[in-house]
Amino acid sequence: MSSNSANQVFTTTTVLQSEKIAEGEYKITEIKSDPPVQQDLHSGNRKELQFDIAFGIGIGGYYDYDDKEISVSPTFGGSPIGSRYTAGLNTGIKFGIDIWAAKGEIRVFKDGDQLKLGYTLGAFWSDDKSDSFKIADL
């Protein structure tokens, strides 16, 4: 590492599964998730998405108009929770949130020539928040 390079911090999560094999015998296995994507498998025209929505909930990911693909994961406090979900731009993505901080749903969808984000989220300490807004022109 050269002396003028900046420090970088990465967060990683490992999910483990414990399986009882026999009385007093257990097997711990890592559960694999989201395989790496080779750079040459997409158009190279990805546009990054990062939105803080409400109650600490947000999304991060990308859309690629050339590949007609969108891929997002929900975030809490800026860190991904759950998997990355991928679908076609015309199909869109919708996922439910049901954690202690918030409950509701988030959608990323195509509306005419626009890519939009819509959400309805509530928390036990606040009224529901609902909105829809343009992410980008397609």
Side-chain angles (χ1 to χ4, degrees):
M1 182 182 289
S2 66
S3 60
N4 64 356
S5 64
N7 291 335
Q8 294 183 342
V9 176
F10 298 93
T11 302
T12 183
T13 302
T14 302
V15 179
L16 303 174
Q17 174 181 323
S18 173
E19 177 183 357
K20 184 175 182 178
I21 305 297
E23 187 64 35
E25 182 181 350
Y26 298 87
K27 179 180 178 183
I28 307 296
T29 308
E30 180 180 355
I31 297 175
K32 302 289 184 194
S33 65
D34 297 341
V37 176
Q38 296 178 358
Q39 293 299 324
D40 59 349
L41 295 180
H42 62 85
S43 73
N45 193 22
R46 290 182 173 178
K47 308 289 190 255
E48 295 297 318
L49 303 173
Q50 186 69 44
F51 293 99
D52 295 324
I53 299 173
F55 311 118
I57 303 294
I59 64 163
Y62 68 86
Y63 73 93
D64 188 324
Y65 181 75
D66 294 337
D67 285 344
K68 307 289 188 234
E69 178 181 78
I70 184 163
S71 184
V72 296
S73 60
T75 61
F76 180 63
S79 296
I81 54 175
S83 296
R84 177 166 279 200
Y85 303 96
T86 302
L89 273 177
N90 292 330
T91 304
I93 294 176
K94 174 180 166 181
F95 46 88
I97 302 290
D98 188 2
I99 62 174
W100 68 270
K103 296 183 183 341
E105 70 177 33
I106 300 171
R107 297 182 327 139
V108 180
F109 60 98
K110 183 178 174 188
D111 183 16
D113 291 337
Q114 296 181 339
L115 184 62
K116 291 187 173 184
L117 185 145
Y119 66 90
T120 301
L121 292 171
F124 66 87
W125 68 86
S126 177
D127 293 334
D128 287 1
K129 295 185 181 200
S130 184
D131 197 6
S132 179
F133 57 89
K134 178 178 87 169
I135 295 172
D137 290 315
L138 300 174

